[in-house]
Amino acid sequence: MDTESINAIESMSLVHSGAHYFSRLEQIIADAKTEIHIQIYIFDEDETGSRILTALKEAALRNVKIYIVLDGFGSFSFSSKTISELKEMGINFRFFSPMFSASSFYIGRRLHNKVIVSDAKTVLIGGINIANKYRGTERELPWLDFAVELNGKIGEPLQEFCRAVYLKKERKIIPIVSIPEEGYVAFLQNDWLKRKKEITGAYIKSIRNAEKEIIIVGSYFLPGRKIIQALKIASKNKVQIKLILSGISDVPMVRRATCYLYAKLFRYNMELYEWNHSVLHGKAMVVDGKWTTIGSFNLNNLSSYASVEMDVAIYSEQFSKEFQVLLSDIISQSQKITPETLKLKSSVSSKLINWFSYRMTRIIEIIVTYLPYHRFNN
């Protein structure tokens, strides 16, 4: 990673899923004057997606250049009719690794980023996709997730990066951006085929170097050996470790697989909390109230070795403390899982289901991660 720093941040704010995120996104599109980049895993054509599409079409009528890259699997349902309409309006659109092509059926590497850049100045990055479930409805709360909005020259290198992704060109290193008198902001990438392991490395280093407290929000929490080893070291160093995990999941087998790990996690003196008010989709960590990462990266092997991921890492006591307050409120609304409560609700059949789910999930991860494929230039 380039260590050259630039003073380029005018403002930085935490954004959470629901109306908060989507009102910001609509305003960013409405304010755009020259160029918008959207790279996202899921873009549903429901009420929420339709509102964003309308905003993008209005921006196109203002002669704003728009580039959209959607994942070919996550946004598989995105209609050809809508794609034609967008292209007719001059909006640049393509799928990242389409599921089907003339020569193959393709699973492999997926674009899991959730990144929006406007006018090389405004950045919205996190784990939130464009769909009703992330906005919420009258009957259901939004899936719990987070993003960060940044404004300033920090957007310039990220816009250049997004343009290179769209055009399938070489992607330049994104520089670290300094926060005057406080710390830094870094855009971290994971793309195993491109030898990018920055997010995994940052998690491991930050966990190992923790001194007091680690709070992790972990949807689809199935960390690999290196992350588990880092958490074990932190535990031995008397670091307080709190995990906010899914009580409700859109992938029940993965939740069951995570439950299989609970006994091991308790051996390392971790505090476990399950969020039961909506689906937990967030991927974030705060270390010692100083260092925060938020983004698309899940603590599992799919994010480590298969998907293309992007997180923002922020070394800022002010920002981290603000996020910590929100996480403390989430913890207060979550169900604490203890060895005693786990024992009470763990029947022989549930233990067997958890074990089976864990083994099957690991097998699926291996198949998807290492399935041979040749599309290296997406």
Side-chain angles (χ1 to χ4, degrees):
M1 181 185 295
D2 192 344
T3 56
E4 180 183 352
S5 297
I6 54 176
N7 295 317
I9 301 175
E10 297 174 7
S11 65
M12 177 171 60
S13 57
L14 177 66
V15 183
H16 52 79
S17 52
H20 189 213
Y21 176 87
F22 288 98
S23 63
R24 290 304 311 135
L25 177 54
E26 288 184 69
Q27 191 62 54
I28 288 168
I29 296 171
D31 291 342
K33 293 179 174 58
T34 58
E35 191 166 333
I36 298 171
H37 286 264
I38 294 179
Q39 295 183 5
I40 206 154
Y41 182 63
I42 296 173
F43 197 133
D44 284 349
E45 293 184 78
D46 52 19
E47 181 184 355
T48 298
S50 295
R51 288 181 61 163
I52 301 304
L53 285 171
T54 297
L56 289 169
K57 290 174 182 178
E58 290 173 354
L61 292 173
R62 301 195 306 270
N63 296 318
V64 176
K65 293 181 180 178
I66 301 172
Y67 298 84
I68 302 173
V69 183
L70 305 184
D71 184 72
F73 176 76
S75 296
F76 181 72
S77 64
F78 204 79
S79 70
S80 56
K81 178 183 177 182
T82 299
I83 294 170
S84 296
E85 290 175 356
L86 295 176
K87 290 182 176 180
E88 285 173 6
M89 296 190 70
I91 295 174
N92 301 282
F93 179 97
R94 81 173 182 91
F95 280 118
F96 182 97
S97 298
M99 284 289 289
F100 299 96
S101 73
S103 60
S104 68
F105 168 70
Y106 181 67
I107 301 176
R109 181 164 160 258
R110 305 262 48 106
L111 179 75
H112 202 235
N113 295 350
K114 288 88 176 175
V115 179
I116 290 93
V117 185
S118 174
D119 293 344
K121 182 178 180 179
T122 302
V123 176
L124 195 56
I125 178 172
I128 303 170
N129 291 296
I130 297 175
N132 279 347
K133 50 199 172 190
Y134 298 92
R135 186 186 188 99
T137 66
E138 293 181 357
R139 293 172 294 177
E140 294 183 353
L141 291 173
W143 288 15
L144 181 63
D145 210 334
F146 316 100
V148 179
E149 182 181 342
L150 303 111
N151 288 279
K153 290 185 178 179
I154 189 171
E156 292 178 3
L158 192 58
Q159 178 166 291
E160 186 177 348
F161 176 88
C162 289
R163 189 183 291 120
V165 171
Y166 182 87
L167 297 174
K168 301 185 183 181
K169 293 185 176 181
E170 183 179 355
R171 303 160 198 179
K172 294 183 179 180
I173 295 172
I174 306 173
I176 295 172
V177 179
S178 66
I179 305 173
E181 300 180 0
E182 187 168 8
Y184 64 82
V185 172
F187 297 112
L188 305 178
Q189 304 167 58
N190 246 57
D191 187 352
W192 193 60
L193 281 178
K194 300 287 186 181
R195 298 181 181 178
K196 295 286 187 181
K197 298 181 286 185
E198 296 168 356
I199 307 175
T200 306
Y203 263 91
I204 292 170
K205 181 180 179 181
S206 299
I207 292 170
R208 284 176 174 265
N209 293 339
E211 297 177 353
K212 297 178 181 178
E213 183 183 54
I214 299 169
I215 305 175
I216 294 175
V217 182
S219 58
Y220 320 116
F221 184 80
L222 284 172
R225 178 180 56 83
K226 291 181 179 179
I227 297 286
I228 288 289
Q229 185 63 25
L231 289 168
K232 185 177 179 180
I233 290 170
S235 175
K236 286 184 176 179
N237 291 335
K238 308 299 182 184
V239 175
Q240 186 179 27
I241 304 171
K242 300 177 181 178
L243 303 181
I244 304 172
L245 305 173
S246 300
I248 303 171
S249 177
D250 60 316
V251 189
M253 187 169 73
V254 175
R255 181 182 178 275
R256 284 284 196 170
T258 300
C259 290
Y260 175 76
L261 294 177
Y262 281 9
K264 177 185 285 190
L265 299 176
F266 283 133
R267 289 201 296 272
Y268 302 149
N269 300 313
M270 299 185 198
E271 296 179 26
L272 307 186
Y273 300 90
E274 288 185 347
W275 174 258
N276 290 297
H277 300 282
S278 62
V279 170
L280 174 68
H281 193 257
K283 314 98 167 39
M285 180 171 72
V286 180
V287 177
D288 293 335
K290 297 178 180 178
W291 187 89
T292 297
T293 183
I294 295 173
S296 67
F297 181 81
N298 288 301
L299 284 169
N300 59 40
N301 286 339
L302 288 179
S303 281
S304 294
Y305 300 110
S307 299
V308 179
E309 309 279 2
M310 184 173 284
D311 275 25
V312 59
I314 302 168
Y315 191 93
S316 163
E317 190 166 344
Q318 179 180 345
F319 183 89
S320 296
K321 290 292 185 184
E322 177 189 349
F323 191 34
Q324 208 168 25
V325 169
L326 175 60
L327 295 182
S328 294
D329 183 55
I330 290 170
I331 286 173
S332 71
Q333 299 178 57
S334 299
Q335 179 185 4
K336 185 172 184 178
I337 307 299
T338 65
E340 292 74 25
T341 58
L342 181 64
K343 187 176 180 180
L344 286 173
K345 66 177 187 178
S346 295
S347 63
V348 173
S349 61
S350 68
K351 288 180 179 179
L352 182 61
I353 292 171
N354 292 347
W355 174 86
F356 177 78
S357 297
Y358 178 80
R359 296 301 173 192
M360 285 301 299
T361 302
R362 287 300 195 198
I363 290 170
I364 292 169
E365 282 184 334
I366 291 169
I367 292 171
V368 173
T369 300
Y370 298 107
L371 187 72
Y373 49 86
H374 62 276
R375 296 186 186 181
F376 297 99
N377 295 318
N378 272 287

